[in-house]
Amino acid sequence: TFQETEKALNDLLDAIVSLRDLFDEAGKRKRIEAINEQLSQPGFWDNPETARAITTELSQLKNAIEPIAALHRRASDSLELLL
């Protein structure tokens, strides 16, 4: 029924929010912001080894949070379409 589907989607969204907390999405997003700031600093690219390590970290952080963010968007969009 409609109510069961709505409840299931709301439960899914709650579970996704718990996953976001468990995987410290907020902390990862703050670190991404800090790295992006570093990338724009003069001289950042002067040390290729350090730059490579930091850009690798940036990529890993983005890869860690994107699947959960995408899942949240899909569940949220589904709920909106249902309502």
Side-chain angles (χ1 to χ4, degrees):
T1 69
F2 173 81
Q3 289 81 13
E4 291 169 338
T5 305
E6 182 181 16
K7 182 180 179 341
L9 284 170
N10 279 316
D11 290 347
L12 177 60
L13 284 169
D14 289 343
I16 294 168
V17 168
S18 294
L19 279 176
R20 288 173 135 179
D21 293 342
L22 179 67
F23 289 104
D24 189 26
E25 181 181 340
K28 286 178 175 62
R29 287 191 184 280
K30 285 181 186 176
R31 180 64 183 141
I32 288 170
E33 287 177 28
I35 290 173
N36 283 329
E37 223 174 274
Q38 272 185 292
L39 296 177
S40 66
Q41 295 299 314
F44 174 80
W45 299 100
D46 292 349
N47 184 331
E49 190 174 309
T50 301
R52 188 175 314 116
I54 291 174
T55 56
T56 297
E57 179 187 2
L58 176 62
S59 178
Q60 291 170 340
L61 289 166
K62 287 180 178 181
N63 288 338
I65 64 171
E66 183 49 36
I68 296 171
L71 182 60
H72 186 270
R73 281 191 302 274
R74 287 185 202 127
S76 182
D77 290 349
S78 297
L79 185 58
E80 284 183 35
L81 288 173
L82 183 66
L83 302 175

